[in-house]
Amino acid sequence: MNKENKTDVMSDWKAEFTKRVQTESKSRKQTFTFYDACQKTDYHNTRDKVFLSVVSFLRSEPLQNNDYVKFVSCYITTGKKLDVKYFKNNGNKLNEYYKKVDEAKAKGETFNPFSVKAYKRYVLFIVLKFSGEYTSDLDEAFGVQTVGHREYNPLTNIPSVLRGELPFKVKEYDIKRAFPTFIDIELIKEYRHTVYDILDKKTFAYLLNSNVTNKDADRNIILKELSKVYGNDADKVCTLERFNTKGGAFMDFSRYEKEYIERFVTENDLVNYVRLHDGVFVLAETDCNFFVFDWVEFAIKECIKTPIENEILNFYTIDESDKVYTSPTMYADFFIQEKFLRISTPDDKIFLLRDTNNVVDFFNHNTDTVSFLKDNINEFSGSFDAVADTIARENFSTVKQGFLLIPSIELKYYSDTKNTFGLPFKNGFYYFDMNDKGTLKQKEYTDVKGFFAPHEIQSREFKYTDEVGMFEHFLIRACTGRKETNTQDTKNIFESFKTMFGYLCHNYKDMTKNPCIVLTDMDADDETRNGRRGKTLISKAVQEVQESIIKGGKEFDSGYTFVFADLEKKHNVYIIDDVPAGFKYDDLYTNILGDISCQRKGLKADLIKFRDAPKFAITSNWVVPYDERNASTNGRFIEYKFTNYYTTSHTPKDEFKCSFFQDWNADEWNRFYSFVFRCVKLFLQKGIIKTEYNKTDDNYKAYFNNDAVYTEFHRCVNNFVIDKTSLEFSVTDFLKEYNDILNPLRFEKIFTTKNAKRFIDAWAGKFNTEKRGFWFEYSQRTRNWIKKY
């Protein structure tokens, strides 16, 4: 029933109230208004006060904050759906309303379940009923009528989502499983306790109400379905008489409703109540003591107001006249909800970031705040513009005050420990702990301590696999020169490379074991820079795991004041790629094992502590010199040489038919990251394993890669060593020959007391391997090279 009555109870009362108060107060005003009558409180009776309470309540626009009304009205008016993110109630119910709007539109009709007029009449009706001021002469005006055994009133005509929008709290007592219970009464058997376990409520109602007037209704089919619950008694539920009568079952069962509702009201001495089908509405403070009548049991619904299922805040409120209300606290609460964090900084400036899965996303608050807030305005038409204008005005005032109310935190990036390793994927944080058998596990980001820099890894789903992927195959071939590790030597080499890769992927730093990784070419001759061995793929692989910074070898100048200007705490690996011959490795000593001072242009230097500083890796196509007696250098650098399996004419792309990383699918990424976990685990188990190389030739090539140096050195050494009968010589002897007054190159200072020994060591090592009938041995006591036969 949805009959609207032309009589407006509120309007009739206002007219009567105004006239009566004017008369009783003997007012002489020529125009006496309703407002005037409201001011003369001495002439208000009890009934007037009830009506006035409704007037006051309705003036507060209670539906203004009802999301069903707001969202559905917007969709009806504009055809656009507001952001469901801000919908506080049941989303499925909202979608049902949207569907009904669409169905009506398809028929050329308009569907609007939220009549303001019906709602206001409902509020007045309920308030009059519960205050005891309702009289039966109002039934016609409120459309109260009884049809069959049911009563229809403003409560039965209002959508369920509006029933709780009242000036006081109400509750409902209704019959539990009403129709199933009435059927049990007729059958004198108990089926009601299991009926909804077998048939859902909607299907059960459809079967009961189907009749001969319904299209495609078939009693045999109905009986078959009902027999799932009632067995052979199904025909006593859907009787032939009920099936042949439109609304037959409803009329029979509503008779039971009326009987038991009346018994419930009588037994509990209810005076002020409103009936709703198989239940009654009463004030929340009303107590009832009797709930069971024969087989009929009443249940209580404590909260009639639509429950809040989505506790979400916005940064404003808006009234019926489109006036916008904001405050610093409202802005702050909204920003906190949207995972904004304020970072404490030494310069005491506002520094914001957005936290999503612990990922640091820095926010430009001066330029981006207004557009961000505008995207979160959940209004339409004039209301939208009113909020937009407000945030534009308040951007550097109230909004900024809101930022200051966000609690500040220290920005700490996630770090592995000496026994743990983890990576942040889209589907969770995957990690293992060597103290827990190294078993790979997953946990939520709320349980992870520390933040992550934005990285492609966070956009990838991960699932562990033992399958061998392209990168693992590549690494085997690049480091051993073979497709398989089928000998102990190749297995050892591959294992050492895996620990090296695991070391670079693990971001924990140990001051006693923190070497710089140097990737070079096997058999490099410092003449033809063959390269293309696969070193770059290692550095790219590391970048797919850890936030890294990469610098070209010629670009990196350790003597440049701002060389580390772009280094940040988020960087876990610092890669210097393709360094030139003669690169000063020693200049990195301090950076590898100490703090790093990052001088920013125009700013104060920022000191990155050792624990937050990156690990270093270097790639080079040139020979790297090695002094086996220099323990400090050897402890800081570990070299790994790549074979010539891959060359310019035979690349990994040629062999695997795809570009690494760029062309990989999800399965290949899973194989790659699974290999990463295995490499790190091996590194944590065995430490970083060195591959031993004979550096004699490397040293010789490194020191004598310049033709002029080569020629002059060998002229000097041949003159006083090879061509002389002397059995020993020193640096002084060598420099005496080089600095001879007749030597024009002495002014070039190619050889000095500081570097001559290194050149002689490299030459002597090479000479000794050539087995010319004698060799040279260095004596620490005399600091001479002694000729041995």
Side-chain angles (χ1 to χ4, degrees):
M1 302 292 291
N2 193 22
K3 182 179 178 181
E4 296 235 356
N5 198 286
K6 293 183 179 180
T7 304
D8 188 333
V9 178
M10 178 62 80
S11 295
D12 288 351
W13 169 80
K14 284 184 176 180
E16 184 274 332
F17 168 72
T18 303
K19 185 176 181 180
R20 173 167 46 83
V21 172
Q22 181 183 22
T23 301
E24 292 180 358
S25 65
K26 299 178 181 180
S27 174
R28 296 181 180 179
K29 288 188 68 174
Q30 186 174 358
T31 302
F32 190 85
T33 65
F34 173 72
Y35 175 80
D36 295 325
C38 291
Q39 303 306 305
K40 296 187 177 296
T41 56
D42 291 342
Y43 301 94
H44 298 176
N45 58 36
T46 302
R47 184 178 177 82
D48 294 335
K49 293 176 182 177
V50 172
F51 273 92
L52 287 171
S53 70
V54 174
V55 171
S56 177
F57 174 71
L58 293 177
R59 279 178 178 169
S60 68
E61 294 289 338
L63 295 187
Q64 185 77 18
N65 295 318
N66 186 290
D67 274 7
Y68 284 104
V69 175
K70 179 177 180 179
F71 279 65
V72 176
S73 297
C74 175
Y75 190 53
I76 293 171
T77 305
T78 68
K80 296 181 180 179
K81 295 178 181 179
L82 293 175
D83 191 348
V84 72
K85 165 186 173 181
Y86 292 102
F87 187 73
K88 298 191 292 289
N89 309 117
N90 187 282
N92 293 330
K93 184 74 172 177
L94 175 64
N95 288 330
E96 289 178 12
Y97 279 121
Y98 283 156
K99 184 178 179 181
K100 290 179 180 179
V101 172
D102 292 338
E103 289 173 347
K105 186 181 295 184
K107 297 176 182 178
E109 302 172 354
T110 300
F111 170 75
N112 188 349
F114 307 124
S115 165
V116 176
K117 182 178 179 181
Y119 168 71
K120 291 181 176 180
R121 185 168 65 243
Y122 160 71
V123 173
L124 180 59
F125 173 76
I126 293 293
V127 173
L128 288 171
K129 291 286 284 189
F130 288 168
S131 66
E133 290 298 324
Y134 189 86
T135 53
S136 58
D137 61 298
L138 295 175
D139 284 352
E140 182 178 356
F142 280 109
V144 178
Q145 57 182 315
T146 300
V147 179
H149 301 289
R150 273 197 171 177
E151 177 183 301
Y152 294 91
N153 54 53
L155 172 58
T156 62
N157 291 331
I158 203 78
S160 61
V161 298
L162 300 188
R163 290 172 184 165
E165 302 294 350
L166 294 166
F168 40 67
K169 292 182 180 181
V170 295
K171 61 185 176 182
E172 179 186 7
Y173 291 99
D174 68 350
I175 300 172
K176 291 176 64 175
R177 303 193 177 200
F179 282 15
T181 300
F182 303 151
I183 293 171
D184 284 1
I185 291 174
E186 290 186 347
L187 300 177
I188 318 177
K189 293 181 181 179
E190 295 195 24
Y191 295 102
R192 63 188 181 279
H193 302 298
T194 59
V195 61
Y196 293 139
D197 295 332
I198 301 170
L199 298 173
D200 65 78
K201 199 168 185 179
K202 189 174 182 179
T203 300
F204 182 70
Y206 169 79
L207 294 172
L208 287 186
N209 292 308
S210 292
N211 58 77
V212 72
T213 65
N214 298 131
K215 184 180 179 181
D216 298 328
D218 187 325
R219 183 167 179 260
N220 291 326
I221 295 177
I222 294 171
L223 292 176
K224 182 179 179 181
E225 290 299 305
L226 288 175
S227 66
K228 294 177 181 178
V229 178
Y230 297 102
N232 295 331
D233 290 330
D235 61 342
K236 297 177 183 178
V237 178
C238 180
T239 64
L240 189 58
E241 181 181 358
R242 284 175 178 164
F243 182 75
N244 289 330
T245 306
K246 183 178 181 180
F250 171 77
M251 289 186 286
D252 288 344
F253 296 141
S254 61
R255 175 173 54 84
Y256 291 105
E257 279 183 353
K258 182 175 185 298
E259 176 186 345
Y260 285 100
I261 289 292
E262 289 176 350
R263 288 181 63 179
F264 180 81
V265 169
T266 301
E267 291 294 330
N268 287 290
D269 296 324
L270 297 181
V271 178
N272 301 322
Y273 67 91
V274 178
R275 182 179 169 187
L276 176 66
H277 305 319
D278 63 344
V280 292
F281 268 50
V282 294
L283 287 170
E285 58 267 25
T286 302
D287 291 325
C288 293
N289 300 311
F290 302 99
F291 300 95
V292 180
F293 305 89
D294 303 326
W295 286 15
V296 175
E297 181 180 355
F298 281 79
I300 183 173
K301 294 180 182 177
E302 293 284 358
C303 182
I304 304 304
K305 198 173 183 69
T306 304
I308 301 297
E309 297 185 11
N310 181 24
E311 292 284 357
I312 192 163
L313 303 172
N314 214 327
F315 56 88
Y316 66 88
T317 59
I318 188 167
D319 63 18
E320 67 279 4
S321 60
D322 285 342
K323 183 175 181 180
V324 180
Y325 299 89
T326 65
S327 70
T329 302
M330 292 171 71
Y331 280 119
D333 290 343
F334 173 73
F335 286 128
I336 292 171
Q337 171 187 273
E338 296 301 303
K339 295 187 176 181
F340 277 74
L341 301 172
R342 183 166 64 87
I343 305 303
S344 57
T345 59
D347 54 5
D348 202 29
K349 293 181 179 179
I350 295 178
F351 192 44
L352 298 176
L353 59 86
R354 291 195 70 188
D355 171 23
T356 305
N357 285 349
N358 294 37
V359 175
V360 174
D361 182 10
F362 292 102
F363 185 76
N364 299 318
H365 63 89
N366 284 328
T367 56
D368 294 345
T369 300
V370 171
S371 60
F372 174 78
L373 293 175
K374 185 178 179 182
D375 289 341
N376 284 275
I377 299 174
N378 210 39
E379 308 294 333
F380 59 100
S381 64
S383 299
F384 182 95
D385 294 337
V387 179
D389 291 343
T390 300
I391 58 178
R393 286 194 305 270
E394 297 180 346
N395 185 34
F396 295 104
S397 54
T398 313
V399 175
K400 185 174 181 179
Q401 292 166 10
F403 287 145
L404 295 174
L405 289 176
I406 301 174
S408 65
I409 63 168
E410 180 182 358
L411 178 59
K412 287 187 176 181
Y413 286 98
Y414 165 81
S415 177
D416 301 318
T417 70
K418 63 180 180 180
N419 293 312
T420 64
F421 171 67
L423 292 175
F425 295 98
K426 184 178 181 180
N427 57 325
F429 182 77
Y430 283 81
Y431 73 103
F432 64 76
D433 187 339
M434 297 302 292
N435 293 326
D436 187 22
K437 301 180 181 179
T439 304
L440 189 64
K441 298 179 180 179
Q442 178 198 5
K443 62 182 174 182
E444 298 301 319
Y445 284 99
T446 52
D447 299 323
V448 179
K449 293 182 179 179
F451 294 98
F452 302 97
H455 193 285
E456 281 297 314
I457 194 173
Q458 294 136 12
S459 66
R460 298 173 183 140
E461 302 271 352
F462 174 69
K463 183 178 181 181
Y464 182 82
T465 177
D466 287 319
E467 295 178 6
V468 176
M470 292 183 190
F471 184 79
E472 187 171 354
H473 281 301
F474 149 77
L475 191 59
I476 291 172
R477 298 166 192 189
C479 71
T480 68
R482 302 180 183 181
K483 288 189 175 182
E484 297 180 2
T485 54
N486 48 14
T487 67
Q488 191 58 50
D489 283 345
T490 54
K491 289 178 181 178
N492 291 342
I493 292 172
F494 182 49
E495 186 175 72
S496 72
F497 270 71
K498 286 200 294 183
T499 63
M500 173 269 293
F501 183 57
Y503 163 77
L504 290 175
C505 293
H506 185 247
N507 70 13
Y508 173 77
K509 294 180 63 182
D510 184 340
M511 187 170 287
T512 63
K513 300 175 184 178
N514 188 56
C516 170
I517 301 300
V518 182
L519 307 178
T520 62
D521 296 334
M522 193 80 72
D523 303 322
D525 58 14
D526 274 11
E527 294 180 6
T528 55
R529 298 180 66 241
N530 291 322
R532 305 291 290 177
R533 305 286 184 88
K535 301 184 297 297
T536 300
L537 280 185
I538 293 289
S539 62
K540 286 184 177 179
V542 171
Q543 292 175 69
E544 295 294 347
V545 179
Q546 295 290 358
E547 184 68 19
S548 308
I549 185 170
I550 186 166
K551 285 289 187 72
K554 294 181 179 179
E555 177 187 4
F556 183 87
D557 180 1
S558 59
Y560 180 50
T561 302
F562 304 107
V563 66
F564 290 115
D566 49 359
L567 178 63
E568 300 178 39
K569 289 183 179 180
K570 68 179 182 180
H571 295 123
N572 292 320
V573 183
Y574 196 105
I575 301 169
I576 308 174
D577 188 50
D578 195 17
V579 300
F583 180 77
K584 297 179 180 179
Y585 292 89
D586 294 359
D587 288 353
L588 287 174
Y589 278 9
T590 303
N591 304 132
I592 292 171
L593 288 180
D595 303 337
I596 299 179
S597 178
C598 302
Q599 180 64 59
R600 324 285 186 191
K601 292 184 178 181
L603 298 173
K604 184 180 179 181
D606 181 17
L607 184 69
I608 298 180
K609 293 290 186 180
F610 170 78
R611 66 175 181 272
D612 298 319
K615 293 180 178 180
F616 282 84
I618 296 173
T619 71
S620 178
N621 293 329
W622 302 92
V623 172
V624 177
Y626 176 81
D627 184 351
E628 63 183 10
R629 288 166 296 186
N630 192 335
S632 61
T633 299
N634 301 339
R636 287 174 171 84
F637 298 92
I638 299 182
E639 184 178 11
Y640 290 85
K641 293 189 175 187
F642 284 69
T643 69
N644 61 359
Y645 181 92
Y646 292 110
T647 63
T648 303
S649 58
H650 177 63
T651 66
K653 183 176 182 179
D654 296 330
E655 192 165 51
F656 293 97
K657 308 303 180 186
C658 78
S659 295
F660 272 42
F661 312 117
Q662 180 180 332
D663 295 339
W664 283 358
N665 59 22
D667 291 336
E668 195 59 45
W669 279 113
N670 281 331
R671 297 183 191 107
F672 170 73
Y673 286 117
S674 297
F675 179 62
V676 169
F677 278 108
R678 293 195 292 272
C679 288
V680 176
K681 187 174 182 179
L682 182 65
F683 161 66
L684 294 183
Q685 289 171 333
K686 297 188 175 183
I688 188 165
I689 301 173
K690 291 185 178 181
T691 299
E692 300 297 335
Y693 301 106
N694 185 335
K695 295 292 291 181
T696 299
D697 284 348
D698 284 354
N699 287 342
Y700 185 78
K701 292 173 183 176
Y703 285 109
F704 297 105
N705 58 16
N706 181 285
D707 289 343
V709 172
Y710 176 90
T711 301
E712 177 61 14
F713 179 87
H714 285 80
R715 183 194 67 78
C716 292
V717 80
N718 285 335
N719 282 349
F720 78 91
V721 176
I722 304 301
D723 296 338
K724 303 292 184 181
T725 57
S726 174
L727 297 178
E728 59 183 78
F729 70 95
S730 66
V731 168
T732 301
D733 296 328
F734 173 82
L735 291 176
K736 183 178 180 182
E737 179 68 25
Y738 170 69
N739 290 315
D740 186 273
I741 192 171
L742 298 176
N743 183 13
L745 292 178
R746 71 183 186 278
F747 299 109
E748 301 295 330
K749 301 297 180 182
I750 298 174
F751 306 112
T752 67
T753 56
K754 292 183 179 180
N755 68 11
K757 184 178 183 300
R758 293 199 296 271
F759 281 95
I760 297 170
D761 278 338
W763 169 82
K766 177 68 173 175
F767 186 91
N768 291 344
T769 62
E770 293 178 350
K771 300 179 181 179
R772 301 189 189 181
F774 59 89
W775 71 95
F776 294 95
E777 183 179 279
Y778 183 74
S779 170
Q780 291 285 357
R781 183 179 63 82
T782 64
R783 298 184 180 182
N784 283 347
W785 282 269
I786 302 172
K787 186 184 294 185
K788 299 284 186 176
Y789 292 90

